[in-house]
Amino acid sequence: IISFAIIRYKLFVFNPAVFVTNIVATMNEVLIVFDSSREIQFVNDAVVGLLGYSKDDLVGKNIRDLLPGEKDWKDFEYHVLALLLQGKAVNGFETKFKSKDNSNIPISFSGSALKDAGSTIAFVGVVTDIRQIKRLITDVEAERNKLSVALAGVADGVFVVSKDAKILLFNKACENMFGIKYESVADKDIDQLIKFQDGDEVFSIRQLFPTKHLTKDEVIATKTNVLATGPGGKEVHVNMVSSAIAENDLVDLGAIV
Protein backbone atom coordinates (compact mmCIF):
# COMPACT_ATOMS: atom_id res chain seq x y z
CA ILE A 1 0.00 0.00 0.00
CA ILE A 2 2.83 2.43 0.94
CA SER A 3 4.70 1.66 -2.30
CA PHE A 4 1.52 2.17 -4.33
CA ALA A 5 0.81 5.50 -2.60
CA ILE A 6 4.35 6.77 -3.29
CA ILE A 7 4.02 5.94 -6.98
CA ARG A 8 0.37 6.94 -7.42
CA TYR A 9 0.51 10.26 -5.61
CA LYS A 10 4.22 11.00 -6.24
CA LEU A 11 4.94 11.24 -2.54
CA PHE A 12 8.53 12.28 -1.80
CA VAL A 13 9.11 12.98 -5.50
CA PHE A 14 10.09 16.63 -5.94
CA ASN A 15 10.23 18.43 -9.25
CA PRO A 16 13.44 20.55 -9.42
CA ALA A 17 11.63 23.10 -11.59
CA VAL A 18 9.16 23.72 -8.77
CA PHE A 19 12.05 24.41 -6.37
CA VAL A 20 13.74 26.80 -8.78
CA THR A 21 10.51 28.66 -9.52
CA ASN A 22 9.76 29.17 -5.83
CA ILE A 23 13.32 30.24 -5.01
CA VAL A 24 13.38 32.77 -7.85
CA ALA A 25 9.97 34.12 -6.86
CA THR A 26 10.98 34.71 -3.24
CA MET A 27 14.48 36.11 -3.84
CA ASN A 28 15.23 39.59 -2.50
CA GLU A 29 17.95 39.95 -5.12
CA VAL A 30 17.15 40.75 -8.74
CA LEU A 31 17.74 37.84 -11.12
CA ILE A 32 18.51 38.76 -14.73
CA VAL A 33 18.98 36.32 -17.60
CA PHE A 34 20.36 37.72 -20.86
CA ASP A 35 21.78 36.20 -24.04
CA SER A 36 25.05 36.76 -25.92
CA SER A 37 23.53 39.73 -27.77
CA ARG A 38 22.94 41.39 -24.33
CA GLU A 39 19.15 41.08 -24.72
CA ILE A 40 17.33 40.48 -21.44
CA GLN A 41 15.30 37.26 -21.56
CA PHE A 42 14.04 37.07 -17.99
CA VAL A 43 13.86 39.07 -14.76
CA ASN A 44 12.23 38.10 -11.48
CA ASP A 45 9.69 40.09 -9.47
CA ALA A 46 12.37 41.66 -7.24
CA VAL A 47 13.22 44.06 -10.06
CA VAL A 48 10.09 46.06 -9.25
CA GLY A 49 11.21 46.85 -5.71
CA LEU A 50 14.81 47.69 -6.62
CA LEU A 51 14.57 49.48 -9.96
CA GLY A 52 10.88 50.24 -10.36
CA TYR A 53 10.57 48.41 -13.68
CA SER A 54 8.00 45.73 -14.41
CA LYS A 55 9.12 42.51 -16.08
CA ASP A 56 7.58 43.68 -19.35
CA ASP A 57 9.61 46.89 -19.17
CA LEU A 58 12.87 44.98 -19.34
CA VAL A 59 12.36 41.72 -21.21
CA GLY A 60 13.60 42.21 -24.75
CA LYS A 61 15.67 45.29 -23.82
CA ASN A 62 19.48 45.43 -23.94
CA ILE A 63 21.17 45.19 -20.56
CA ARG A 64 23.16 48.23 -21.68
CA ASP A 65 20.01 50.28 -20.98
CA LEU A 66 20.44 49.63 -17.25
CA LEU A 67 23.88 51.21 -17.07
CA PRO A 68 23.60 54.98 -16.48
CA GLY A 69 26.68 56.22 -18.32
CA GLU A 70 29.22 55.30 -20.98
CA LYS A 71 32.00 54.74 -18.44
CA ASP A 72 29.72 52.51 -16.34
CA TRP A 73 28.94 50.47 -19.45
CA LYS A 74 32.62 50.15 -20.47
CA ASP A 75 33.53 48.98 -16.96
CA PHE A 76 30.65 46.50 -17.01
CA GLU A 77 31.76 45.18 -20.39
CA TYR A 78 35.34 44.73 -19.21
CA HIS A 79 34.78 43.40 -15.69
CA VAL A 80 31.58 41.39 -16.27
CA LEU A 81 30.69 40.59 -19.88
CA ALA A 82 34.22 39.78 -20.99
CA LEU A 83 34.61 37.28 -18.15
CA LEU A 84 31.19 35.72 -18.71
CA LEU A 85 31.98 35.23 -22.41
CA GLN A 86 35.12 33.38 -21.37
CA GLY A 87 33.02 31.06 -19.22
CA LYS A 88 34.26 32.59 -15.96
CA ALA A 89 32.12 33.56 -12.99
CA VAL A 90 31.83 37.13 -11.72
CA ASN A 91 31.51 37.78 -8.00
CA GLY A 92 30.47 41.06 -6.39
CA PHE A 93 31.33 43.60 -9.09
CA GLU A 94 30.13 46.97 -7.83
CA THR A 95 28.47 49.38 -10.24
CA LYS A 96 25.24 51.35 -10.63
CA PHE A 97 21.98 50.44 -12.37
CA LYS A 98 19.55 53.06 -13.61
CA SER A 99 16.06 52.88 -12.11
CA LYS A 100 12.84 53.70 -13.93
CA ASP A 101 12.85 57.20 -12.41
CA ASN A 102 16.47 57.70 -13.61
CA SER A 103 18.03 57.35 -10.16
CA ASN A 104 21.42 55.63 -9.99
CA ILE A 105 21.18 52.65 -7.64
CA PRO A 106 24.47 51.22 -6.25
CA ILE A 107 24.46 47.46 -6.84
CA SER A 108 26.69 44.42 -6.63
CA PHE A 109 26.59 42.12 -9.67
CA SER A 110 27.47 38.42 -9.66
CA GLY A 111 26.97 36.17 -12.65
CA SER A 112 27.85 33.03 -14.54
CA ALA A 113 27.18 31.34 -17.85
CA LEU A 114 24.12 29.12 -18.27
CA LYS A 115 25.19 26.04 -20.20
CA ASP A 116 23.34 23.26 -21.97
CA ALA A 117 25.22 20.24 -23.32
CA GLY A 118 28.46 22.15 -22.88
CA SER A 119 27.36 25.20 -24.85
CA THR A 120 26.58 28.61 -23.35
CA ILE A 121 22.96 29.49 -24.00
CA ALA A 122 22.62 32.53 -21.75
CA PHE A 123 24.08 34.40 -18.80
CA VAL A 124 22.55 34.59 -15.34
CA GLY A 125 23.16 37.62 -13.14
CA VAL A 126 22.24 38.30 -9.53
CA VAL A 127 21.90 41.98 -8.61
CA THR A 128 22.15 42.95 -4.93
CA ASP A 129 21.11 46.33 -3.55
CA ILE A 130 24.09 47.82 -1.66
CA ARG A 131 22.66 51.26 -0.86
CA GLN A 132 22.53 50.55 2.86
CA ILE A 133 26.12 49.27 2.84
CA LYS A 134 27.24 52.41 1.01
CA ARG A 135 25.45 54.59 3.58
CA LEU A 136 27.12 52.70 6.42
CA ILE A 137 30.55 53.10 4.80
CA THR A 138 29.92 56.83 4.38
CA ASP A 139 28.87 57.12 8.02
CA VAL A 140 31.94 55.20 9.19
CA GLU A 141 34.25 57.36 7.08
CA ALA A 142 32.62 60.50 8.44
CA GLU A 143 33.08 59.30 12.02
CA ARG A 144 36.69 58.35 11.30
CA ASN A 145 37.36 61.80 9.86
CA LYS A 146 35.80 63.48 12.90
CA LEU A 147 37.91 61.28 15.18
CA SER A 148 41.08 62.15 13.25
CA VAL A 149 40.33 65.87 13.50
CA ALA A 150 39.61 65.59 17.22
CA LEU A 151 42.76 63.59 17.96
CA ALA A 152 44.89 65.97 15.93
CA GLY A 153 44.01 68.70 18.43
CA VAL A 154 44.65 66.62 21.55
CA ALA A 155 47.84 67.56 23.42
CA ASP A 156 48.30 64.05 24.83
CA GLY A 157 49.84 61.34 22.70
CA VAL A 158 47.28 58.71 21.73
CA PHE A 159 47.94 55.48 19.89
CA VAL A 160 45.80 52.43 19.20
CA VAL A 161 47.19 48.94 18.62
CA SER A 162 45.68 45.66 17.46
CA LYS A 163 45.83 42.39 19.40
CA ASP A 164 49.19 41.62 17.79
CA ALA A 165 50.45 45.09 18.79
CA LYS A 166 50.29 46.52 15.25
CA ILE A 167 49.77 50.30 15.18
CA LEU A 168 46.27 51.24 14.01
CA LEU A 169 46.30 54.91 15.02
CA PHE A 170 49.07 57.32 16.01
CA ASN A 171 48.06 60.94 16.60
CA LYS A 172 49.96 64.14 15.91
CA ALA A 173 51.13 64.49 19.53
CA CYS A 174 52.66 61.00 19.33
CA GLU A 175 54.39 61.93 16.09
CA ASN A 176 55.96 64.98 17.76
CA MET A 177 56.80 63.06 20.92
CA PHE A 178 58.75 60.30 19.17
CA GLY A 179 59.83 62.10 16.01
CA ILE A 180 58.13 59.65 13.65
CA LYS A 181 55.22 59.92 11.21
CA TYR A 182 52.13 57.71 11.34
CA GLU A 183 52.58 56.80 7.67
CA SER A 184 55.96 55.23 8.46
CA VAL A 185 54.76 53.19 11.46
CA ALA A 186 51.22 52.18 10.47
CA ASP A 187 50.60 48.44 10.83
CA LYS A 188 54.00 47.86 12.42
CA ASP A 189 54.65 46.21 15.80
CA ILE A 190 54.97 49.05 18.29
CA ASP A 191 57.30 47.01 20.51
CA GLN A 192 59.74 46.88 17.60
CA LEU A 193 59.66 50.67 17.22
CA ILE A 194 59.40 52.07 20.74
CA LYS A 195 61.07 50.70 23.88
CA PHE A 196 59.00 51.12 27.03
CA GLN A 197 60.93 50.91 30.31
CA ASP A 198 59.46 50.98 33.82
CA GLY A 199 62.46 51.41 36.13
CA ASP A 200 64.87 48.65 35.13
CA GLU A 201 62.16 46.57 33.46
CA VAL A 202 61.58 46.78 29.70
CA PHE A 203 57.97 45.78 29.10
CA SER A 204 55.82 44.94 26.10
CA ILE A 205 52.76 46.99 25.24
CA ARG A 206 50.90 43.65 25.35
CA GLN A 207 51.14 43.86 29.15
CA LEU A 208 48.63 46.72 28.95
CA PHE A 209 46.02 44.61 27.11
CA PRO A 210 42.88 43.30 28.86
CA THR A 211 43.25 39.79 30.26
CA LYS A 212 39.53 38.98 30.30
CA HIS A 213 36.45 39.47 28.17
CA LEU A 214 35.07 42.97 28.66
CA THR A 215 31.40 43.81 29.04
CA LYS A 216 31.97 47.57 29.11
CA ASP A 217 34.58 50.16 28.15
CA GLU A 218 37.13 50.50 30.92
CA VAL A 219 40.66 51.48 31.93
CA ILE A 220 42.91 48.42 31.95
CA ALA A 221 46.21 49.64 33.37
CA THR A 222 48.23 52.73 34.29
CA LYS A 223 51.98 53.22 34.46
CA THR A 224 53.78 56.36 35.65
CA ASN A 225 57.20 57.76 34.80
CA VAL A 226 57.83 55.33 31.96
CA LEU A 227 60.93 55.94 29.84
CA ALA A 228 59.88 55.62 26.19
CA THR A 229 62.60 55.56 23.53
CA GLY A 230 61.67 56.13 19.90
CA PRO A 231 63.36 54.56 16.84
CA GLY A 232 65.69 57.56 16.46
CA GLY A 233 66.85 57.28 20.05
CA LYS A 234 64.66 60.15 21.24
CA GLU A 235 63.75 59.63 24.91
CA VAL A 236 60.70 60.94 26.72
CA HIS A 237 59.28 60.23 30.18
CA VAL A 238 55.53 59.57 30.08
CA ASN A 239 52.59 58.49 32.15
CA MET A 240 50.57 55.81 30.36
CA VAL A 241 46.89 54.92 30.63
CA SER A 242 45.62 51.89 28.74
CA SER A 243 41.93 51.51 27.93
CA ALA A 244 39.83 49.01 26.01
CA ILE A 245 36.29 48.76 24.70
CA ALA A 246 33.71 46.02 25.07
CA GLU A 247 33.96 45.29 21.33
CA ASN A 248 37.72 44.61 21.54
CA ASP A 249 37.41 41.01 20.38
CA LEU A 250 35.11 41.90 17.49
CA VAL A 251 37.33 44.62 16.01
CA ASP A 252 40.78 43.13 16.69
CA LEU A 253 41.67 45.84 19.18
CA GLY A 254 44.45 45.37 21.70
CA ALA A 255 44.35 48.67 23.56
CA ILE A 256 43.94 52.43 23.34
CA VAL A 257 46.91 54.05 25.07
Side-chain angles (χ1 to χ4, degrees):
I1 294 171
I2 293 173
S3 300
F4 173 77
I6 291 173
I7 296 170
R8 175 67 181 80
Y9 298 107
K10 299 182 180 179
L11 299 179
F12 311 115
V13 178
F14 302 101
N15 184 345
V18 174
F19 277 120
V20 172
T21 300
N22 280 278
I23 290 170
V24 169
T26 56
M27 284 176 64
N28 290 321
E29 295 83 3
V30 174
L31 186 73
I32 297 181
V33 180
F34 56 97
D35 59 24
S36 57
S37 66
R38 294 20 171 195
E39 184 178 304
I40 297 172
Q41 303 295 327
F42 172 84
V43 290
N44 65 345
D45 292 330
V47 74
V48 179
L50 179 60
L51 300 175
Y53 298 105
S54 69
K55 290 183 178 182
D56 293 338
D57 289 333
L58 293 180
V59 173
K61 297 292 181 67
N62 195 303
I63 196 169
R64 166 71 181 87
D65 297 334
L66 289 175
L67 280 297
E70 186 63 25
K71 184 181 183 304
D72 300 303
W73 171 242
K74 291 298 183 185
D75 288 344
F76 190 81
E77 275 192 310
Y78 181 79
H79 293 287
V80 175
L81 296 180
L83 295 179
L84 294 178
L85 289 168
Q86 295 172 35
K88 298 178 181 178
V90 176
N91 292 305
F93 174 70
E94 291 189 15
T95 184
K96 299 183 290 289
F97 270 6
K98 182 171 59 178
S99 68
K100 191 171 184 178
D101 64 2
N102 285 319
S103 299
N104 293 335
I105 308 296
I107 60 102
S108 172
F109 187 97
S110 299
S112 60
L114 183 62
K115 296 181 179 291
D116 184 29
S119 299
T120 299
I121 58 173
F123 304 101
V124 180
V126 176
V127 178
T128 305
D129 182 359
I130 58 172
R131 283 175 293 185
Q132 185 174 5
I133 293 172
K134 289 291 186 182
R135 284 193 291 267
L136 287 172
I137 291 173
T138 300
D139 290 344
V140 169
E141 289 178 343
E143 291 300 320
R144 182 189 63 190
N145 291 338
K146 286 191 286 186
L147 176 63
S148 297
V149 170
L151 287 177
V154 173
D156 291 328
V158 179
F159 63 82
V160 179
V161 289
S162 64
K163 288 181 182 177
D164 54 0
K166 299 290 180 64
I167 297 174
L168 303 177
L169 185 148
F170 204 78
N171 78 338
K172 188 69 176 177
C174 270
E175 291 182 342
N176 295 334
M177 194 179 298
F178 296 107
I180 48 179
K181 292 290 185 182
Y182 169 68
E183 290 76 12
S184 65
V185 300
D187 206 35
K188 293 183 179 178
D189 189 325
I190 195 166
D191 285 331
Q192 301 298 318
L193 295 168
I194 301 172
K195 182 174 76 172
F196 298 101
Q197 188 171 342
D198 185 6
D200 295 328
E201 177 197 2
V202 175
F203 65 92
S204 167
I205 205 69
R206 292 168 174 82
Q207 292 175 232
L208 304 184
F209 289 4
T211 57
K212 61 180 181 180
H213 175 71
L214 301 178
T215 57
K216 62 180 181 178
D217 304 349
E218 59 182 275
V219 172
I220 302 301
T222 59
K223 282 185 175 290
T224 59
N225 198 28
V226 170
L227 175 62
T229 308
K234 184 177 181 181
E235 295 182 344
V236 57
H237 286 85
V238 297
N239 295 329
M240 301 178 72
V241 179
S242 168
S243 303
I245 58 175
E247 295 83 6
N248 254 38
D249 294 335
L250 298 176
V251 294
D252 187 31
L253 189 66
I256 303 161
V257 183

